[in-house]
Every structure is written in structure tokens, then in C-alpha cells.
Amino acid sequence: MSAAPVVVLVGPMGVGKSTVGQLLAGRLSVGYRDTDDDIVAEQGRSIAEIFVDEGEETFRAIEKQAVHRALAGHDGVLALGGGAILDADTRALLAGQRVVYLSMDVEEAVKRTGLNTARPLLAVNPRKQWRELMEARRSLYEQVATAVVATDGRTPEEVAQVALDALELKEA
Ligand code: S3P
């Protein structure tokens, strides 16, 4: 099957890609897909286990394949893992697609992800880790985005609405 997602969501972990993505899919009457879920289903183990067993580099290679498959095979709303945009080939594939970057500030990030041990990259000193991750990634998120939607102080429903408005997408 060859298809392009109607919307691709990017942004850091914990920003609400899954929640907002499912709301958007409902509003647009299309399917929702998440590349982290694809990886877990395909690998039969959690993301944290893949990081521990094989390291980040191998995870990124697995992720790249999953992202490229989903970009070619899903026509609904697609959420990418927070680090997927680190890959230059993936960024090239995102050019010309409708991509929403969901952003948040550091305090919001720590509130949402600080105690979540399922996210291996933030397991130790989440505030510092998050700042470093964002320094490395902010410009990459911005580079692939057709719209940037700040999530701070907004409910998921409000974020979904702002994204629909920014993309000028009508509900189905
Ligand atoms: C990661 C984000 C995670 C997951 C993995 C690495 C990252 O996805 O892919 O833990 O590098 O930002 P979410 O953004 O869906 O949490």
C-alpha cells in the first residue's frame, strides 16, 4: 500500500502526541498510528528493553525502518517517536508532508515526564536531560514542521483544535 499520512505529529516525549493524535484522528475520521507502538509490536519488547538490550544506535535503526514504513503505508494521523527526526533521511521524507510540531517548555516537560521510567532518555536528572535533548533537537523539529503548536497550558482538545486551524483542515 502506498499512502501519505494526513497529519504527522512530531515533538519531544511527553508532549502529548498520542493523546492529541488520537483526538485529531477522531475529528478527521481517519486512523491513528504511533511508530513507538509499531516498534513494540514488531519487536515483542518495550522501548526501554530495546535501549537496555541493544543501545540507542540499534534502537534508532529499528525506529528508522518503522517510521519509513509508516510514512509510506498509513493515510491517517501518524505520531513519530520524539527522536525520529534525528535521522536525515527521515527529515527528507517529511519534506512536503503536513507535519505538526507539538512544543512545550521545560517545566511542563518535567511535570509530564519527570517520573516516567518508561522513557529511558529521561531516567536520570530529567530537567537537565530534557534541556540537552531540546538544544540538539529544537531546530530539527522546526525544520520539518509546517505548523508549530505550543501545548503549554492547553488541554489536548484545545491543542487538537489549534492544529486543525493551523493546517486549515476541516473535520470529516
Ligand atoms: C524517544 C522518544 C520516545 C521513544 C524513545 C526515544 C526520544 O517516544 O521513541 O524512548 O529520543 O525522544 P515518545 O516521544 O513517543 O515518548
Side-chain angles (χ1 to χ4, degrees), residues 13 17 36 47 51 59-60 63 81-83 119-121 137:
M13 51 194 119
K17 294 180 298 261
D36 282 344
I47 304 271
F51 264 80
F59 171 76
R60 294 297 171 204
E63 177 178 51
R119 292 202 163 88
L121 292 177
R137 296 181 183 180

Side-chain angles (χ1 to χ4, degrees), residues 15-83:
V15 77
K17 294 180 298 261
S18 313
T19 308
V20 171
Q22 288 172 58
L23 286 170
L24 279 174
R27 299 275 299 267
L28 295 166
S29 301
V30 297
Y32 170 75
R33 184 159 159 181
D34 183 317
T35 57
D36 282 344
D37 294 342
D38 287 356
I39 293 167
V40 171
E42 178 206 305
Q43 292 283 316
R45 52 193 170 150
S46 70
I47 304 271
E49 282 169 328
I50 301 171
F51 264 80
V52 170
D53 293 348
E54 310 202 42
E56 180 168 355
E57 201 178 318
T58 300
F59 171 76
R60 294 297 171 204
I62 295 169
E63 177 178 51
K64 178 172 178 168
Q65 298 306 319
V67 169
H68 288 210
R69 264 199 304 274
L71 283 173
H74 180 64
D75 58 8
V77 175
L78 178 67
L80 304 188

Side-chain angles (χ1 to χ4, degrees), residues 27-158:
R27 299 275 299 267
L28 295 166
S29 301
V30 297
Y32 170 75
R33 184 159 159 181
D34 183 317
T35 57
D36 282 344
D37 294 342
D38 287 356
I39 293 167
V40 171
E42 178 206 305
Q43 292 283 316
R45 52 193 170 150
S46 70
I47 304 271
E49 282 169 328
I50 301 171
F51 264 80
V52 170
D53 293 348
E54 310 202 42
E56 180 168 355
E57 201 178 318
T58 300
F59 171 76
R60 294 297 171 204
I62 295 169
E63 177 178 51
K64 178 172 178 168
Q65 298 306 319
V67 169
H68 288 210
R69 264 199 304 274
L71 283 173
H74 180 64
D75 58 8
V77 175
L78 178 67
L80 304 188
I85 45 75
L86 292 169
D87 184 85
D89 296 331
T90 296
R91 294 200 298 281
L93 276 183
L94 290 173
Q97 306 239 21
R98 229 186 249 117
V99 182
V100 175
Y101 163 28
L102 298 181
S103 70
M104 66 180 163
D105 72 21
V106 64
E107 291 314 322
E108 188 81 16
V110 171
K111 219 166 29 188
R112 293 191 206 175
T113 59
L115 298 173
N116 187 340
T117 50
R119 292 202 163 88
L121 292 177
L122 296 181
V124 181
N125 197 346
R127 185 176 273 102
K128 178 167 174 281
Q129 297 289 342
W130 200 81
R131 276 191 210 286
E132 285 175 7
L133 280 184
M134 285 309 293
E135 269 164 38
R137 296 181 183 180
R138 188 173 287 108
S139 69
L140 302 178
Y141 289 133
E142 288 171 355
Q143 186 185 316
V144 298
T146 43
V148 183
V149 177
T151 63
D152 310 278
R154 284 179 168 147
T155 65
E157 287 78 10
E158 288 166 342

